[in-house]
Amino acid sequence: MADPNNGVMLAYQYVMTNEYGLQLNQPVTQLKKLDERNQIKILAIGKENTKPTKAFLLIGQTGAGKTRLLNAMINYIMKVKFEGNCRYTVKDEIGTMPKTKTESQTEFVTGYLIYQQPGMAVDCNYLIIDTPGLGDTRGSEQQHRIKKQMEVFLTDETFEISELHCLGFVVNGTINRSHAYLKEIVTEFESLFGKDTIKITKILATHTDDDTPAVSKVLDDMNIKADKLYTFDNGVLYCSNQGKKADLSQLQWNILTSSYEEFFEDMLVAKPCSLRLCKEAIKEKMNLERSLLMLKRHIDNKVKALLQCRNKRKLYEEYYTAMRCNEEFEGEETITVKERFPINGRFTHAHNCPICEQTCVYPCTSWSSAFCRCPSGEEPCDFCPCSKNGHEKEGETIESRQEKRHITNEQMRDKYEEAKTNLQNMEELMETLQKETDHHSKQMAIYIKTIVSHIERINEIARNPNRKATEDYLSELISNVKETMVMGTSDASDQHYITEMLDALPEQIDQIVLEVTSKKTSISDRFKAMTSYAKHNLNPFGRSGQ
């Protein structure tokens, strides 16, 4: 139906009449894309056509006025007049739970694809993408959820977003001092994008009609990289156009219209920025996270293997001494217990070996081939001797923990006789366990290499890379392993042994990192040098178990 204000042929439905007598209408939308799991949707407004499309992505803090900005853009595009009695409003994608004023009212990442129609103020299609507000009272968990949504939206080919014309950071124009938490939030989300998006980044300051608001200095102090600052006072959008204040409101409306004219004129000639670097930056960060997790598993498994080696030697020696003295024997042995845990979060599955009863590939995701590391082929797995094709794709990981178990003389005798049958002597048992630790040492070197390469590439292409050094990542990882393993054992001797081994590891890893980063050689030569170092210098760590 035609809008009585401007003659635009657009289907809409009546929502309500506000306190000023203005009729609020909601444009009828058609659902084009929907990801219910990640809460992402694209809605189309108007009749589809083949005109070029300009894409905007709006990011901002909760309470900055993103949704009102989006509504103002739509009203401008629809050429709504101040004197008319109708305004457009889009529905907040608020989910099912009521929100407070300090919580984001938008749960979905929602793209509004507005098809150009006769009578509109623009001559092309616009895709305006609204995102959940950052920094609400639900804290870091909410931030991670929104970041996951953004990663999926920007990388999943389902949504067909290959370029942007504007990356708009929406800020409240009334802030007059730097906020550390706001800078932290913006910095974190800037890290999703490649360096080339700086040229399309715009600051959209709301709640102000001042061309040079106080917020501009705050943004300079916060060092937020942007190409241009626009100011909008969207408060007049749904205000009365009658009465004593009508003239003032008309003036404010004209100023607002001029602001959007400037913005959309700039966007009309804006060159698009490909999301290739953005997709690669997200991919590299995903792979860095994956490599750190795999390295942690190898360190964890190596320490467990060494601990088992040490305790088996001690147990057999104690039994052999008791047997020589013709004494009854009672002791404790260390056994490995396997447990399954469901996978939650951004990663969707793991690959588990049913023969070895362990998780060999995790994390893994089904988003696209760029992120998936599903194993295939008959060659042996990196984690076990079985072929990759023999692994099962499952929604849970298999974790191992060690616990002490009381063992009697009779049980020990059976174990001892079995050991004598299967292995000629204790040294062969130790050699078998040593091979396992050597395997983990080699894999540790491989993952350290990949971690270094991911960090180097992130620093090359990311708009706001995390400047944390490789050693810092690994130090945090080792501390986490130490805390988990020490808490998981009640034996003071074992706790001391675990601490001693892990305290020795950072210095050895630092040497590997130095070998990798200090030489400007080919990847192949760097890898050979590193694996050679691991073979000769990680073994002292392994020999500490003997």
Side-chain angles (χ1 to χ4, degrees), residues 236-403:
V236 72
L237 183 61
Y238 300 116
C239 285
S240 173
N241 56 7
Q242 304 293 325
K244 296 179 180 180
K245 296 184 179 180
D247 290 343
L248 177 60
S249 295
Q250 175 76 71
L251 177 61
Q252 292 172 328
W253 182 279
N254 292 342
I255 292 172
L256 182 63
T257 301
S258 296
S259 297
Y260 282 109
E261 280 180 355
E262 179 188 4
F263 175 77
F264 278 98
E265 284 174 4
D266 288 349
M267 292 302 101
L268 190 62
V269 297
K271 294 182 179 179
C273 178
S274 168
L275 291 180
R276 182 187 63 80
L277 281 185
C278 169
K279 294 175 189 288
E280 186 180 350
I282 293 174
K283 171 187 170 184
E284 287 293 336
K285 290 179 183 184
M286 291 274 291
N287 286 335
L288 172 61
E289 184 177 349
R290 178 184 288 115
S291 296
L292 286 166
L293 285 169
M294 292 298 284
L295 176 61
K296 180 180 180 295
R297 292 178 67 84
H298 279 295
I299 293 174
D300 187 75
N301 286 349
K302 177 172 181 175
V303 172
K304 287 174 181 175
L306 290 170
L307 188 61
Q308 186 177 7
C309 176
R310 169 182 178 266
N311 289 337
K312 276 187 180 293
R313 176 187 288 276
K314 181 180 177 182
L315 182 66
Y316 278 89
E317 286 176 350
E318 288 176 354
Y319 173 71
Y320 185 66
T321 300
M323 188 175 62
R324 282 194 311 164
C325 298
N326 198 27
E327 295 175 349
E328 288 294 313
F329 176 82
E330 288 190 11
E332 286 187 329
E333 69 170 339
T334 302
I335 61 169
T336 299
V337 179
K338 302 289 180 75
E339 295 179 308
R340 286 179 172 264
F341 295 93
I343 296 172
N344 296 312
R346 77 179 71 182
F347 300 110
T348 61
H349 63 272
H351 294 266
N352 299 326
C353 178
I355 298 174
C356 301
E357 255 194 299
Q358 68 177 22
T359 295
C360 293
V361 178
Y362 174 76
C364 213
T365 173
S366 58
W367 290 355
S368 67
S369 59
F371 296 101
C372 194
R373 287 294 179 269
C374 293
S376 61
E378 295 297 334
E379 64 269 21
C381 167
D382 291 338
F383 241 78
C384 76
C386 305
S387 73
K388 294 180 179 179
N389 279 342
H391 290 57
E392 295 180 352
K393 180 177 174 180
E394 296 180 320
E396 54 189 9
T397 58
I398 302 173
E399 305 293 340
S400 65
R401 62 178 175 83
Q402 292 183 314
E403 63 180 38

Side-chain angles (χ1 to χ4, degrees), residues 156-185:
D156 195 325
E157 295 178 0
T158 302
F159 301 104
E160 301 175 347
I161 307 297
S162 60
E163 60 185 25
L164 290 175
H165 294 78
C166 174
L167 174 57
F169 280 104
V170 183
V171 298
N172 189 326
T174 62
I175 62 171
N176 54 18
R177 60 186 179 85
S178 298
H179 295 284
Y181 73 92
L182 178 58
K183 170 60 177 173
E184 185 178 332
I185 290 168

Side-chain angles (χ1 to χ4, degrees), residues 30 39 80 89-90 106 121 140 183 218 243 251 263 267 306-307 331 371 391 400 421 429 443 447 466 483 488 496 502:
Q30 297 85 43
Q39 293 187 292
V80 171
T89 180
V90 295
T106 304
S140 60
K183 170 60 177 173
V218 175
L251 177 61
F263 175 77
M267 292 302 101
L306 290 170
L307 188 61
F371 296 101
H391 290 57
S400 65
T421 301
L429 174 63
Q443 292 301 316
Y447 279 105
N466 188 338
E483 181 180 359
H496 177 75
L502 291 172

Side-chain angles (χ1 to χ4, degrees), residues 521-530:
T521 55
S522 68
I523 292 293
S524 174
D525 289 341
R526 286 164 65 174
F527 176 67
K528 288 177 182 178
M530 186 178 50

